[in-house]
Amino acid sequence: MSTSPTYRLSVFDSIDDGHHTDYLAYLIHQFSHKPEVELLLIVPESFIQSFKKNRQTWGFDLGNNIHFHALDTLTIQHLHGQSIYKRSIAEWNLYVEISEAWEASHGLLMYFDYFQLGMLFGKKAHFQLGGIYFRPNFYYRKASWKSAFMKKCMLRLSTYRTSMKVLFSLDHKAVKHIRPLLGKTQVMRISDPVRAYEVSAEELKAFREHWHIPSNKKVCLIFGYLDPRKGIEAFLQSTQHLTSEELSQICLLVAGAISPGYQTHLEKLIQQFPDLEVISIFQEIKGKDIQLCFESADLVLMLYQNHVGMSSVLVRASISKKVVLGTHYGLLGKLIQSMHLGLVVDAQSPIQIAEQLEQYLNLGIGYSKEQMEKMEQENSEKAFADTLYEGLFL
């Protein structure tokens, strides 16, 4: 006779792109092997359809203990069409209603940052709660005192009202700054999870041929959801400061999902740099194709504009043993420097980017293979799920 599950965990996320879908897929796969947990995912219907259609290709399990509550397109449009303040309360109330109707014993907010206002002014949750905190940037030097004060107050008040059990911080350096604000709420570091895929030499060759990626140039990769924050414009402008000989040695590979408006803007901008070879893969990239993008690259660009927190791109670069040219700002800059993963630069300065590119082309960039391996191990999907399990249930 099968035993009843020990825990009933509900998870909420209304966003169906980027790391949101990856995190959900990792949770489903890892918790499929934890029969003591019944897992309810309150997620967009589009995610559910995509996951069920592609999960075997992507290599994800789906256990009988995994359940879905679909948020249809009209519901998503209604929620996302509101101001960020009203949306926080509306999504939080919806999450509590569905979770309590399902008799959840525990809950997990995949993006805690969005829900603090809802937690403070919305319905009272009667189950133990955890959340993943993405941008605890109130301790950054560049943060204004007013913004930092407001973030600290919201954090303290929202977690106190909901009797929050645990807060998981993706920014590991923020933990010591968060802990004094939370009273009984536990604070835990959590990895930025990434799945490593095995790819063969034949698969890599076929991928490069399909996308016409040259083998006689240094391929510079910009990967992920493509928007102005990625620093694509700054990189393009930096190439104006390279010699024609240096420019002939590099190829820019831009790969990831993109909005139609920004794609149009980027295509027009790229035309202004006819001497730079640019390969664009404007589509969502999943499964092995993620690994193939990184394996095809020589240099991974992380020229993020004032980025806060961690990024899975840094982990993916380490998995593929690719050196990074990244922003000097925030946690990313500190990690790249302290772990010897590449070079850092003021990502808003095309001249400084060009100087570092010149160093890369002429002298190369040193890196630590051991630290790359450490980065990979600490940010596996299993480490991610194990930390969530420990914090929520133990």
Side-chain angles (χ1 to χ4, degrees), residues 132-345:
I132 301 176
Y133 198 5
F134 277 72
R135 294 185 171 88
N137 61 335
F138 53 79
Y139 75 96
Y140 277 39
R141 290 179 183 176
K142 286 190 177 182
S144 70
W145 71 266
K146 189 179 294 185
S147 172
F149 177 76
M150 288 297 297
K151 282 204 167 191
K152 288 179 182 179
C153 287
M154 283 297 297
L155 179 60
R156 187 193 297 270
L157 293 171
S158 61
T159 52
Y160 178 79
R161 182 177 186 262
T162 52
S163 301
M164 198 163 188
K165 183 178 188 293
V166 59
L167 189 65
F168 303 98
S169 177
L170 282 164
D171 185 339
H172 295 179
K173 294 183 182 297
V175 170
K176 66 180 180 182
H177 301 279
I178 296 171
R179 187 169 283 121
L181 302 173
L182 296 192
K184 295 181 180 180
T185 300
Q186 185 181 7
V187 187
M188 296 180 67
R189 297 169 45 162
I190 194 166
S191 64
D192 197 352
V194 170
R195 164 172 282 212
Y197 297 88
E198 292 291 334
V199 297
S200 67
E202 291 76 17
E203 288 173 318
L204 180 57
K205 180 182 178 182
F207 182 85
R208 296 184 72 120
E209 289 178 350
H210 177 77
W211 291 107
H212 307 291
I213 300 172
S215 58
N216 62 340
K217 292 187 177 184
K218 297 294 186 182
V219 178
C220 304
L221 171 67
I222 295 179
F223 180 89
Y225 186 79
L226 303 172
D227 61 21
R229 296 174 301 174
K230 278 291 194 291
I232 303 171
E233 287 90 343
F235 177 82
L236 291 172
Q237 291 164 9
S238 76
T239 63
Q240 294 178 318
H241 302 281
L242 299 177
T243 66
S244 57
E245 181 182 351
E246 289 168 338
L247 197 57
S248 68
Q249 297 177 49
I250 63 175
C251 167
L252 176 62
L253 173 59
V254 184
I258 188 171
S259 69
Y262 191 61
Q263 179 175 340
T264 300
H265 164 74
L266 209 53
E267 287 172 341
K268 290 180 179 178
L269 185 62
I270 289 171
Q271 290 175 5
Q272 299 175 25
F273 299 86
D275 295 330
L276 173 66
E277 182 173 4
V278 180
I279 297 168
S280 305
I281 308 177
F282 291 144
Q283 63 186 47
E284 185 177 18
I285 300 170
K286 290 289 185 181
K288 277 191 176 183
D289 283 348
I290 296 174
Q291 194 85 20
L292 289 166
C293 281
F294 282 81
E295 296 294 338
S296 298
D298 297 287
L299 177 68
V300 177
L301 300 173
M302 301 186 68
L303 303 172
Y304 299 164
Q305 306 296 294
N306 290 335
H307 177 82
V308 175
M310 183 55 174
S311 171
S312 61
V313 171
L314 186 60
V315 185
R316 295 193 186 281
S318 294
I319 290 172
S320 298
K321 303 298 182 289
K322 305 297 181 179
V323 73
V324 170
L325 175 58
T327 176
H328 68 347
Y329 181 77
L331 177 63
L332 279 182
K334 291 177 181 177
L335 286 174
I336 294 169
Q337 286 183 297
S338 64
M339 298 186 73
H340 305 290
L341 303 177
L343 293 175
V344 296
V345 66

Side-chain angles (χ1 to χ4, degrees), residues 19 22-28 30-31 108 110 132 134 168 170 189-194 377-391:
H19 67 264
D22 292 336
Y23 283 18
L24 291 171
Y26 299 149
L27 267 188
I28 293 169
Q30 292 293 327
F31 275 75
L108 175 64
M110 298 299 289
I132 301 176
F134 277 72
F168 303 98
L170 282 164
R189 297 169 45 162
I190 194 166
S191 64
D192 197 352
V194 170
Q377 293 165 4
E378 291 182 348
N379 292 277
S380 68
E381 63 178 83
K382 184 178 186 304
F384 174 73
D386 287 347
T387 303
L388 289 175
Y389 188 94
E390 177 186 349

